[in-house]
Structure formats: C-alpha cells, structure tokens
Amino acid sequence: MLTISKDILPQTFLSYIAFRIAFMDTLERIALAKQVGDDPFESFGYLTEVPFLRSVPPHVQLDLLSVTWAKHLSNERIEGDLVDESVVYAVCESAARIIDEQPEEARRYLEGGPLDVHIAIDHFLSSEVRNLHLNLSNEGDFLLISQFQDMPPEEATPMKEEFGIEEEAIEPMFDVLMQWYMSVDFMPNLEGLLQEREVAKAITIVGLKQQPLC
C-alpha cells in the first residue's frame, strides 16, 4: 500500500487504469520516436506533467512508474516520497487527458491487460481518475520545486522554508534527473499492470538499459 501524506492510494481499478494508460502511451511514443529517429531535445512521456521532471528520459519514466506501482500493490504500508507523489499525479493527469481527448486510444491501451476492464471511456471516468490524486492530502511540493532551480541559494532557501519544503525531501527528485539506467526489478515491478508478453515487448522497445557490471 502506497501512502501519500498519510493517505493510502486506493487499490482500485481506477489506479490500474491510470497507471496502465500512462505506461502504454509512453511506451508507444518511445517506439514511435525510435521509428522516426530520436530527437535528443524533445521531451515526452507521462512525467512531463511535472515541470521539474520534464527532462527525465522516457525509459526512466517507465521505470519510475513501475517502482511506484509495485509500492502501490505491496501488502506492506510504504510511505511515498516526492518522486512517488510526482508519478501518481502525472499518471492520473496524463491518463485523464488521454481519456478525454483520445478515448479510442485509451480503450486500446486497456485491452489485453491483466484486468478485464469493462467501463465507459468518457468524461466521468477521466474525472474519477483525476480525483485519485486530488483526493490525496499532499501539498503538491513536487510542483513547486521547479521555481527554485534557477534561484541562488540565498534566495531559494528562505522560500523553501516558507513553503515548508525540506532539503532532504527534495533529494530524490534531483537524483531522478541524473538517472539513466533502469532498475533490475523493472520486470517484476510490472506484475499486475502488464501481461508477461507485454512486459517482454516493453523490454524489447526500451532496450532495458541497466547498470553495467563492474
């Protein structure tokens, strides 16, 4: 169970829908980018919903999604950090937007998954998906951090204190900006979100960039 500011992210079909649509859409865009040629300056993927994390490589975005999903499905109570909060916000916003603007694509992303979802792909569903993060009592600190990026420390520090943002809490967000390799647990983390054949296809598309052995 993943907790955000002491609130448990509900383990319902809505969270499954949000995470799966966000994952499948980002994966499909990675595949398309490889077909037409990568643009190193183009940012895409569900995590671009969070300004501070727009430059995170799409394959790393999928890895972060898988980590947060595994925490969400865990039987243990796990307190989420700002990265988890960012992922939850981003998958909900991204999925809600796709449901509203591209309902047929959303329906296609849900087909063949571990859960057989029979539900109308409409504005009501997008609102319910968006409410998943809106109903969590977090402060949205992950959306404020980008304001401090270009500020000198003597100006940023008092503002962080004013907003109650602790340096220790921000560190995982900066770590993500430097991440390139994917977790060795990428495959098992996707249990319950993708079928085995879909995981295999995802690995083929992203190339499973893992830390080389020394």
Side-chain angles (χ1 to χ4, degrees):
M1 295 177 287
L2 178 65
T3 64
I4 304 293
S5 297
K6 309 304 180 184
D7 291 339
I8 296 176
L9 178 65
Q11 294 178 332
T12 67
F13 74 96
L14 289 173
S15 61
Y16 167 81
I17 288 173
F19 275 81
R20 182 171 170 92
I21 289 178
F23 185 99
M24 299 300 284
D25 183 68
T26 301
L27 181 66
E28 189 165 279
R29 296 193 64 181
I30 291 175
L32 180 61
K34 287 190 173 185
Q35 289 177 9
V36 301
D38 287 307
D39 180 351
F41 300 104
E42 182 184 7
S43 297
F44 65 86
Y46 76 94
L47 208 48
T48 56
E49 297 284 348
V50 179
F52 186 79
L53 301 178
R54 280 177 181 159
S55 63
V56 175
H59 68 276
V60 174
Q61 295 184 37
L62 294 185
D63 188 49
L64 296 174
L65 185 153
S66 76
V67 171
T68 300
W69 171 257
K71 293 179 182 179
H72 173 51
L73 248 58
S74 174
N75 292 324
E76 300 177 7
R77 191 182 181 108
I78 303 175
E79 184 176 352
D81 58 19
L82 285 183
V83 176
D84 293 312
E85 291 188 32
S86 299
V87 170
V88 171
Y89 167 84
V91 298
C92 290
E93 285 294 322
S94 178
R97 175 176 48 77
I98 293 170
I99 291 170
D100 270 337
E101 299 176 1
Q102 301 172 291
E104 291 304 318
E105 294 299 300
R107 185 175 290 105
R108 182 167 60 84
Y109 293 148
L110 292 174
E111 290 176 352
L115 290 185
D116 193 9
V117 179
H118 293 286
I119 190 171
I121 308 298
D122 53 19
H123 181 66
F124 177 76
L125 177 61
S126 68
S127 297
E128 290 295 295
V129 167
R130 186 171 279 115
N131 282 336
L132 276 176
H133 79 79
L134 291 177
N135 290 335
L136 299 173
S137 57
N138 67 76
E139 300 298 326
D141 290 345
F142 57 91
L143 294 175
L144 298 174
I145 299 174
S146 59
Q147 300 180 30
F148 309 127
Q149 276 184 291
D150 300 321
M151 296 176 64
E154 61 271 16
E155 294 181 19
T157 299
M159 285 192 66
K160 290 175 186 175
E161 292 176 352
E162 181 180 348
F163 285 112
I165 300 176
E166 300 178 359
E167 291 289 344
E168 185 178 350
I170 297 177
E171 287 180 7
M173 297 286 282
F174 281 96
D175 290 342
V176 164
L177 294 182
M178 297 182 288
Q179 184 175 336
W180 176 256
Y181 295 107
M182 301 175 70
S183 167
V184 295
D185 294 322
F186 178 65
M187 294 172 62
N189 281 344
L190 291 173
E191 183 178 354
L193 188 65
L194 271 67
Q195 300 277 28
E196 287 187 12
R197 57 178 173 74
E198 293 177 319
V199 174
K201 181 179 179 180
I203 291 173
T204 299
I205 292 173
V206 302
L208 197 58
K209 302 172 179 65
Q210 293 185 325
Q211 183 72 45
L213 297 175
C214 298

